Amino acid sequence: MNDQEPKIDLKSICKNIIGIGKNYKDPLKEHVPTDEDPFIFAKPTTSLITEGSSIQIPKGWGTIIHEVELGVVIGKRAKFVSEDIAMDHVLGYVLALDMGKSLEFDKYPILLIKGFDTSCPISDFIPKSKIENVDKLNLKLSVNGNTRHDGNTRDLIHKIPKLISYLSNYFTLDYGDLILTGTPAGISTVKHGDVIEASLENLANIKFPVVEIQ
């Protein structure tokens, strides 16, 4: 980060976290529909943590699932934004984890299973200028040294301009808002004592221990 790029503390400016589900092409399927609307959910900002904190499994849950994602940080207010100018509203990015109880959205309230405290670990802020091609970034995640996710943003079904434009048609995106763009294949579970490590190219590396609240 150069002198012209101030350090951004996302936890202090973020007002909304918007998650996008089912947004990566399935490598086992030849055809993936792209005309369906994005699957959207939200997390409270109390779910944000940075390195030095632990991912806390709510008492009695035993395990939770992990997802690794590119997070998009909004830089200026966006409402009814067209796709062709949507990237003008991007301030930068973070490497993010989207932790949850399960993918059984019909069995549990989605806010509960996706929004518990510590369910959104993030890296340090990455300025927009540091990424030459946001559609060609490798995302990796390992648990206890074993690779679980190994994907690339080229496989996003709904690209970032589409997501910003689509979301801005329904609610205002504001400075500091975070969009989680989805996870590649590899979702699995973690338990007490596990350690998650994730990377976004050579731009960000994060490491978080997992503990269950007793």
Side-chain angles (χ1 to χ4, degrees), residues 65-132:
I65 60 172
H66 58 71
E67 302 179 37
V68 64
E69 318 210 359
L70 175 67
V72 178
V73 182
I74 297 298
K76 63 179 179 179
R77 180 165 289 193
K79 183 64 177 175
F80 300 123
V81 172
S82 61
E83 289 187 39
D84 60 329
I85 63 167
M87 293 303 291
D88 294 342
H89 293 262
V90 174
L91 181 66
Y93 307 92
V94 291
L95 173 62
L97 305 182
D98 175 18
M99 310 301 295
K101 177 175 174 58
S102 74
L103 296 176
E104 298 176 289
F105 301 132
D106 58 335
K107 291 181 63 177
Y108 307 99
I110 192 168
L111 183 60
L112 185 151
I113 65 175
K114 283 288 196 178
F116 57 90
D117 286 354
T118 77
S119 65
C120 191
I122 56 171
S123 70
D124 289 341
F125 175 78
I126 305 165
K128 183 180 178 181
S129 61
K130 294 292 185 183
I131 296 181
E132 183 176 343

Side-chain angles (χ1 to χ4, degrees), residues 136-148:
K136 194 178 179 182
L137 296 172
N138 287 317
L139 288 160
K140 295 184 179 181
L141 180 145
S142 66
V143 178
N144 304 328
N146 299 309
T147 300
R148 299 278 183 86

Side-chain angles (χ1 to χ4, degrees), residues 6 20 30 47 63 87 91 102 118 130-131 158 171 196 201:
I20 308 297
E30 293 184 5
S47 65
T63 62
M87 293 303 291
L91 181 66
S102 74
T118 77
K130 294 292 185 183
I131 296 181
H158 302 292
F171 39 79
I196 297 176
E201 299 277 348

Side-chain angles (χ1 to χ4, degrees), residues 15-27:
K15 299 176 182 176
N16 297 289
I17 304 171
I18 303 159
I20 308 297
K22 306 175 184 178
N23 198 31
Y24 270 79
K25 298 173 185 175
D26 187 336

